[in-house]
Amino acid sequence: MVDAFRLPDLRRRILITFGLLVAFRFIAHIPLPGVNPVTLKSLFDNNALLGMLDMFSGGALRNFSVAAMGVYPYITATIILQLMQTGYSALQDFLRKGKPAKTKSIGLATG
């Protein structure tokens, strides 16, 4: 790890990645205006499915944050489709058409 910081290009890339992760984690705690946090907390406490979706989002969905409204729905849908294809053979056949077709079909299904 120490050798990675001796190369200026690699050091810059590592620091940019770390900075983006830190910034994203701060953004994940900024709630959307107009959302009642007490009602939202009770909704997530009473629904196990929403709790699991919140786990996929790293807790940003529970806060109903600005970051949760961006790319999280697409990521969550992709993860759920990949988990479902192990137990649902029709979906598995639908996604097995090859790499270009798989990418296109997941995009059609999630998007």
Side-chain angles (χ1 to χ4, degrees), residues 3 8 10-11 20-21 23 25 31 36 44-45 49 57 61-62 64 66 68-69 71 75 86 92 106 108:
D3 292 334
L10 188 57
R11 176 180 53 232
L20 288 173
L21 286 173
R25 289 309 302 161
N36 186 354
F44 278 98
D45 289 341
L49 178 64
S57 73
L61 194 59
R62 180 178 294 269
F64 209 65
V66 175
M69 299 298 103
V71 73
I75 292 172
T86 60
Q92 196 172 29
I106 287 178
L108 287 173

Side-chain angles (χ1 to χ4, degrees), residues 4-87:
F5 284 101
R6 290 187 183 149
L7 300 170
D9 187 46
L10 188 57
R11 176 180 53 232
R12 183 179 56 83
R13 288 179 184 209
I14 290 172
L15 291 176
I16 287 173
T17 302
F18 181 72
L20 288 173
L21 286 173
V22 168
F24 188 76
R25 289 309 302 161
F26 280 123
I27 291 171
H29 292 288
I30 300 173
L32 286 174
V35 176
N36 186 354
V38 175
T39 306
L40 196 61
K41 183 180 180 329
S42 68
L43 179 69
F44 278 98
D45 289 341
N46 295 331
N47 193 331
L49 178 64
L50 286 177
M52 187 174 69
L53 290 175
D54 181 51
M55 179 182 64
F56 285 137
S57 73
L61 194 59
R62 180 178 294 269
N63 295 336
F64 209 65
S65 73
V66 175
M69 299 298 103
V71 73
Y72 280 148
Y74 174 75
I75 292 172
T76 303
T78 304
I79 290 171
I80 290 172
L81 271 176
Q82 288 178 353
L83 290 174
M84 285 178 56
Q85 76 178 351
T86 60

